[in-house]
Amino acid sequence: MENYLKGIVIILLSGFVKASSNPSANITYVFPDNTCGLPVSTRHTNASQLFIFKYEGREIPEDCQTVGLHSSDASLNHYVLCVTAASFIDPNCSVTVQFTFSNNVMEFNCNTTENETFCTNQESELKVKTMTDVGYKNAKFTIFIQNELSTKHSDSLVTDMGVVAGIAIGCTLGVLIIALVCYMYIRGRNSSRATYHSAKS
């Protein structure tokens, strides 16, 4: 009986560890509950993670306003981060969510429609900053951010090989054309000389 109970405990603990270490699990940020004092460096994402950003009518201190993500993955594929407003309710137009990436700035606010979406540039950092003004207590939003495949490594490799092959073929044709022109020129000169000598004799 004791061994049986130990076995159950081990199974439960192993399941808990597996679930807690699962890199595919959704990650939720609630402003300002768990967005304060985050590291300056951006958080690297993977292809299977969904990041959920929430806000429910609370004041946000300045050091709790910003979260950083990076659209890289452990593989050699290239990704972009796609941002979707699952819901954005702000009757007093008091909340602005600012997204900064590659010198671009996008915003979600009271004019944002449900399921409005945009994507970052490939392999870029994304800063998510939520700012509030008077009337914020009636505002709330849910925003999804997830990696989307931009370029497969195999596709990129095929493209690169195609470019190299094209350059090689172009160079070969160029050399052949130059050789042909030189050959025709030399042949023409020799022909002219032969005609001159025969006429002179």
Side-chain angles (χ1 to χ4, degrees):
M1 183 68 176
E2 184 179 351
N3 290 335
Y4 177 75
L5 291 174
K6 284 182 178 179
I8 293 176
V9 171
I10 291 172
I11 291 172
L12 290 174
L13 285 174
S14 63
F16 174 78
V17 170
K18 184 177 180 181
S20 62
S21 60
N22 182 8
S24 300
N26 295 344
I27 297 173
T28 302
Y29 288 103
V30 181
F31 294 95
D33 289 358
N34 61 345
T35 60
C36 299
L38 294 177
V40 177
S41 58
T42 55
R43 177 169 188 160
H44 284 250
T45 62
N46 67 50
S48 56
Q49 283 178 326
L50 174 65
F51 288 84
I52 303 171
F53 289 79
K54 288 178 171 288
Y55 173 75
E56 295 182 353
R58 295 177 58 191
E59 184 178 1
I60 306 176
E62 188 173 349
D63 65 338
C64 305
Q65 294 179 347
T66 305
V67 178
L69 301 177
H70 194 288
S71 62
S72 65
D73 187 75
S75 68
L76 295 176
N77 296 329
H78 299 296
Y79 290 85
V80 296
L81 285 171
C82 290
V83 182
T84 301
S87 65
F88 205 105
I89 301 170
D90 184 12
N92 299 321
C93 292
S94 56
V95 175
T96 300
V97 185
Q98 190 177 82
F99 305 91
T100 306
F101 60 95
S102 303
N103 297 321
N104 298 305
V105 178
M106 300 289 290
E107 288 186 351
F108 282 173
N109 51 39
C110 59
N111 296 315
T112 298
T113 57
E114 186 174 334
N115 294 323
E116 185 172 330
T117 302
F118 71 89
C119 295
T120 66
N121 299 332
Q122 186 172 280
E123 303 297 320
S124 61
E125 293 185 354
L126 174 67
K127 297 287 188 181
V128 183
K129 184 175 183 180
T130 300
M131 298 167 287
T132 60
D133 204 343
V134 177
Y136 60 81
K137 291 185 178 180
N138 295 319
K140 60 181 179 178
F141 64 70
T142 300
I143 295 171
F144 296 149
I145 301 179
Q146 189 168 27
N147 267 319
E148 295 288 346
L149 184 62
S150 174
T151 307
K152 279 188 176 181
H153 177 62
S154 57
D155 295 340
S156 177
L157 182 61
V158 169
T159 301
D160 292 342
M161 290 177 64
V163 171
V164 172
I167 293 174
I169 292 172
C171 290
T172 302
L173 288 175
V175 170
L176 289 176
I177 291 172
I178 292 172
L180 181 60
V181 170
C182 292
Y183 171 75
M184 296 297 293
Y185 174 74
I186 294 171
R187 185 179 179 184
R189 287 191 61 184
N190 290 339
S191 177
S192 299
R193 287 178 180 176
T195 303
Y196 172 77
H197 286 300
S198 63
K200 188 174 182 182
S201 60

